[in-house]
Amino acid sequence: MRYVSTRGQAPVLNFEQAMLSGLARDGGLYLPETVPAFSGLDDLDGLPYAEVAFRVIRPFTGESFTDAELRGAIDRAYARIEHAAKAPLVQLAPGHHLLELFHGPTLAFKDFAMQLIAQLFEIALKRSGQRITIVGATSGDTGSAAIEAFRGIDNVDVFIMFPHGRVSEVQRRQMTTPDAANVHALAVSGHFDDCQARLKDLFNDHGFRDQVGLAGVNSINWARVVAQIVYYFTAAASLGMREMDFCVPTGNFGDIFAGSIARAMGAPIRRLIVATNQNDILHRALGSGEYRIGTVEPSISPSMDIQVSSNFERALYWAYGGDAAAITQLMDELKQGGFTISQGALQALREQYVSGRVAEAETLAMIRTIREETGEALCPHSAVGVAVARQHLEPGVPMVTLATAHPAKFPDAVEQAIGIRPGLPPHMAGLFDLPERVTRVENDIAALKSLILERRTH
Ligand SMILES: Cc1ncc(COP(=O)(O)O)c(C=O)c1O
Ligand SMILES: N[C@@H](CCOP(=O)(O)O)C(=O)O
């Protein structure tokens, strides 16, 4: 399996190389040259999650890992997810199901990919003896999952940039309380898009990149996306491999893009529905063809407060039929504020995705409604998903909404909606008593570089 960059100017890599590279050297994102068809769809029902993961991921890893290495990594990764089913599917209403992706150690869907790629990184780094510096940008959940997965791993430093004052207190504490020497939480002035832009600046400075052995664990890393494909298959298997719709709370477009890969592999997915909060650039772009960056408005679903949605570049690459020059041009225009999607590409995108957005009041109302109807408390991101899914329900077609985080990560929003403050699970009970370690940094590339050079442990 060979991986190519969306911008067409970076070396073609194998899986391990693409995983260790993160962003391609031409600034693009890696994608497989072809998507493998999945054989054995009808054999998945009843299999353990780890076995489905092995079958789905194996075609992507090629010669990079032996079967035994991959199975071992998967087993260790998913042993850390508490629920027996790992990603249980629960019925919200007849025909509408919630895919619960928050039973991992940091209570968000990010654990599914991050736990696995930490295992794969460890195998690859032990083999090569290489030392790396992971830098991540987060609106809250990627950062906590990365720190949990990579803390204490030899040969790795982890720097996580989060937007100062724009993540929930639980998310912040998950990033600032681990005391491992290789973990560095950085509170950056600005919003998530600033953090992600600085991350890409670091990757695009090849001198710095090579000096520190820069690696990335955001969904710019193809290995993250691969691991997120698996639960589309387990959900489809639980519903008997009938044609179904998926509604995905969306920000950086990684999770829903994993759904398009699942569909391309053969999963019976009819519609993939992009659900956004008031930061609705994706909904607007799919409606009008104009991808224009607006102001990021803080919301009660802060992990989705994103305007520059990184993985949309991968979707565009497909929609433009693999025309890397066209993507490079669009990404240059994006630096000036936005671009117009060609009619042909827009049509191709609309064949892949439909979309909806909900405002804050609707999100709160949906948390209340689901509490009344089922007794469950939804996190605000999952509530955005459920609200948009309800706009798109069709008789006879099962709908699966991805529940991307545990309500206890966002207690203020949940309490505002239903008057009940969800408690943290026992393994996180001491979170509010631990001392925090965090460095305030300006949104400034020179300041970030010197901090990373000064703090890294190797
Ligand atoms: C809880 C939660 N829901 C949804 C999303 C959106 O996922 P994606 O960025 O893959 O679109 C995020 C952030 O990634 C998140 O943390
Ligand atoms: N919502 C995310 C934003 C980064 O997403 P990623 O999937 O690209 O890592 C977060 O919680 O940090």
Side-chain angles (χ1 to χ4, degrees):
M1 175 69 69
R2 287 153 41 98
Y3 291 89
V4 295
S5 166
T6 49
R7 312 255 177 117
Q9 299 297 318
V12 174
L13 302 179
N14 68 21
F15 180 84
E16 179 180 339
Q17 293 164 331
M19 178 183 85
L20 294 174
S21 296
L23 197 70
R25 285 183 90 83
D26 57 4
L29 303 181
Y30 276 108
L31 269 173
E33 226 166 19
T34 53
V35 174
F38 186 79
S39 55
L41 277 181
D42 295 332
D43 305 333
L44 296 184
D45 192 24
L47 289 182
Y49 188 91
E51 180 59 30
V52 179
F54 177 77
R55 294 185 189 191
V56 170
I57 294 171
R58 185 76 194 92
F60 290 99
T61 54
E63 304 303 308
S64 295
F65 298 96
T66 64
D67 284 2
E69 284 173 331
L70 183 60
R71 276 192 191 281
I74 287 172
D75 288 346
R76 289 189 294 280
Y78 296 126
R80 300 220 47 212
I81 293 183
E82 293 284 322
H83 199 285
K86 310 303 174 191
L89 196 64
V90 300
Q91 184 167 297
L92 271 184
H96 190 180
H97 308 265
L98 204 59
L99 182 60
E100 292 184 352
L101 300 173
F102 51 70
H103 296 286
T106 69
L107 313 183
F109 76 97
K110 309 286 179 173
D111 289 322
F112 277 87
M114 210 62 84
Q115 286 293 326
L116 178 60
I117 71 167
Q119 296 294 334
L120 297 177
F121 264 77
E122 209 174 358
I123 295 170
L125 295 178
K126 270 199 187 127
R127 221 166 18 211
S128 67
Q130 204 183 336
R131 309 184 75 102
I132 58 163
T133 304
I134 290 174
V135 183
T138 188
S139 50
D141 292 320
T142 290
S144 41
I147 287 172
E148 177 61 27
F150 285 91
R151 72 187 158 92
I153 291 192
D154 285 344
N155 294 353
V156 177
D157 271 294
V158 190
F159 290 84
I160 296 295
M161 297 182 273
F162 67 87
H164 178 61
R166 289 179 183 242
V167 298
S168 80
E169 186 176 359
V170 173
Q171 289 176 314
R172 190 192 73 234
R173 286 179 172 277
Q174 285 181 305
M175 294 186 275
T176 58
T177 57
D179 61 2
N182 71 334
V183 166
H184 316 271
L186 310 180
V188 178
S189 309
H191 44 73
F192 168 77
D193 289 340
D194 297 315
C195 298
Q196 183 156 256
R198 296 298 75 75
L199 175 64
K200 291 192 174 181
D201 290 345
L202 293 175
F203 270 107
N204 289 328
D205 178 340
H206 291 179
F208 179 81
R209 175 180 182 148
D210 295 339
Q211 183 184 0
V212 302
L214 190 62
V217 294
N218 278 97
S219 56
I220 57 173
N221 191 322
W222 174 252
R224 275 275 315 279
V225 178
V226 166
Q228 292 175 203
I229 299 169
V230 177
Y231 38 73
Y232 288 91
F233 280 96
T234 59
S238 303
L239 293 174
M241 285 294 170
R242 286 177 288 158
E243 214 172 45
M244 62 195 69
D245 293 338
F246 280 85
C247 186
V248 186
T250 299
N252 227 7
F253 212 80
D255 218 10
I256 194 153
F257 191 73
S260 356
I261 304 285
R263 175 162 56 194
M265 293 173 77
I269 301 173
R270 195 182 67 137
R271 290 181 302 175
L272 281 165
I273 304 164
V274 175
T276 74
N277 66 18
Q278 60 199 12
N279 295 294
D280 59 354
I281 187 166
L282 292 164
H283 178 55
R284 284 185 285 114
L286 289 166
S288 67
E290 294 295 319
Y291 191 94
R292 302 269 157 223
I293 302 172
T295 313
V296 179
E297 298 290 345
S299 77
I300 55 167
S301 44
S303 304
M304 287 159 41
D305 291 347
I306 297 175
Q307 291 278 334
V308 184
S309 187
S310 189
N311 285 282
F312 197 54
E313 181 170 342
R314 288 187 166 115
L316 285 166
Y317 179 80
W318 271 4
Y320 277 82
D323 182 348
I327 301 306
T328 307
Q329 166 76 27
L330 295 184
M331 293 302 128
D332 283 345
E333 289 174 32
L334 185 60
K335 289 188 194 129
Q336 312 311 316
F339 53 80
T340 303
I341 303 168
S342 73
Q343 277 308 310
L346 185 59
Q347 194 181 326
L349 284 168
R350 286 177 179 160
E351 281 162 16
Q352 286 279 336
Y353 308 104
V354 293
S355 67
R357 67 95 84 178
V358 284
E360 298 286 88
E362 293 169 86
T363 307
L364 288 168
M366 190 48 63
I367 298 175
R368 266 192 301 276
T369 302
I370 295 298
R371 173 75 179 178
E372 283 159 15
E373 288 178 2
T374 70
E376 292 300 319
L378 289 178
C379 100
H381 308 76
S382 313
V384 167
V386 170
V388 171
R390 285 194 172 203
Q391 298 165 1
H392 289 88
L393 289 172
E394 277 183 22
V397 184
M399 172 73 77
V400 176
T401 298
L402 273 54
T404 48
H406 192 288
K409 287 192 100 164
F410 307 95
D412 294 341
V414 176
E415 188 174 25
Q416 192 186 344
I418 58 175
I420 295 168
R421 210 169 167 77
L424 288 168
H427 76 274
M428 283 169 60
L431 192 70
F432 284 84
D433 304 323
L434 296 170
E436 295 189 71
R437 274 190 317 135
V438 60
T439 306
R440 278 283 283 120
V441 201
E442 288 312 308
N443 171 19
D444 174 73
I445 191 69
L448 279 162
K449 278 188 204 163
S450 55
L451 189 76
I452 292 167
L453 289 171
E454 176 196 317
R455 294 281 173 85
R456 75 202 171 110
T457 57
H458 54 271

